[in-house]
Amino acid sequence: MRERIGIMGGTFDPIHKGHTVIAKSVGEQLGLDRVLFIPTGNPNFKQGQKLASAADRAHMVALAIEGEPLFELDLREVERTGVTYTADTLEELTQCHEGAQLFFIMGTDSAITLPGWKRAEDVARLCTIVVAKRPGQSTQQVHDALMASTIDFDVIYLDVPQVDVSSTQVRERIARGEDASAMIPASVGAYIAQVGLYQDV
């Protein structure tokens, strides 16, 4: 039986409850053996933007997923030098987990941009795309965009619990001195306060 591995990639700046709720729901619905959380190191689509350090972001992921047997932290993108691309990561995972079936989990906002990704053909070849419907968004636009592409993506559309939170909202609340505890795991909130992240967003 092939191992079924979910992949949650992202900047996780910071990781929030929406990330973990979606990962757990997808894992249960698809019968995944594990879900890898892969923080980006130097992401292509965030060039020029100010991010918390890769070490801080990875540590927050580790705190958020602690005690959840389905979840694992994978540091390959943080440890890779240069700009990180999903296709490179998928190739490495295919080699590390020979024979496994990879499920790349993403929201509708990211999925609609897939045809324009670097080496999108390789992304399509190496994994199944799992589109998790986000609050207030329709999967129809994603479906139309992917169907209009010449690339043959294998896509699963899933309804997941709706957690209306984004990393941007978390950062802005903290910068304003407001309480963000409902949006993030308590351990992540404690780390942010301890290190002083997002005070000047």
Side-chain angles (χ1 to χ4, degrees):
M1 189 105 172
R2 296 178 70 186
E3 187 177 20
R4 296 164 66 84
I5 301 176
I7 300 163
M8 279 288 285
T11 46
F12 300 122
D13 192 27
I15 189 169
H16 55 67
K17 290 181 178 178
H19 293 127
T20 52
V21 166
I22 288 170
K24 185 146 191 169
S25 177
V26 171
E28 290 172 350
Q29 290 187 62
L30 296 183
L32 302 182
D33 296 296
R34 53 178 142 170
V35 177
L36 304 179
F37 280 73
I38 308 181
T40 53
N42 184 19
N44 174 55
F45 64 93
K46 298 273 187 175
Q47 294 298 296
Q49 295 186 33
K50 182 182 177 184
L51 298 176
S53 72
D56 280 332
R57 292 183 288 108
H59 188 67
M60 286 188 284
V61 172
L63 291 170
I65 67 175
E66 191 173 12
E68 174 51 68
L70 184 67
F71 298 163
E72 293 180 21
L73 174 62
D74 187 305
L75 294 174
R76 71 186 62 244
E77 290 195 358
V78 170
E79 293 169 349
R80 186 186 303 146
T81 56
V83 176
T84 52
Y85 293 104
T86 298
D88 298 327
T89 299
L90 290 170
E91 281 192 334
E92 287 183 13
L93 289 170
T94 300
Q95 293 165 5
C96 293
H97 305 282
E98 196 171 344
Q101 189 172 3
L102 303 180
F103 296 85
F104 192 83
I105 305 163
M106 57 200 316
T108 48
D109 49 347
S110 298
I112 204 166
T113 68
L114 258 175
W117 285 20
K118 184 179 177 70
R119 294 174 55 207
E121 303 87 350
D122 291 327
V123 173
R125 174 176 58 84
L126 293 165
C127 71
T128 296
I129 301 295
V130 180
V131 179
K133 191 172 169 186
R134 296 196 60 175
Q137 296 180 335
S138 165
T139 55
Q140 188 60 49
Q141 284 181 303
V142 178
H143 181 268
D144 292 346
L146 298 185
M147 288 299 289
S149 168
T150 57
I151 302 169
D152 185 19
F153 292 99
D154 179 22
V155 188
I156 298 172
Y157 295 91
L158 289 183
D159 283 324
V160 296
Q162 300 298 288
V163 182
D164 193 6
V165 56
S166 71
S167 295
T168 301
Q169 290 172 330
V170 174
R171 293 194 304 271
E172 289 175 347
R173 277 205 177 193
I174 293 169
R176 293 194 299 262
E178 297 174 4
D179 181 18
S181 60
M183 300 171 144
I184 52 179
S187 56
V188 173
Y191 182 78
I192 289 171
Q194 175 193 337
V195 179
L197 293 174
Y198 312 126
Q199 301 298 316
D200 58 348
V201 175

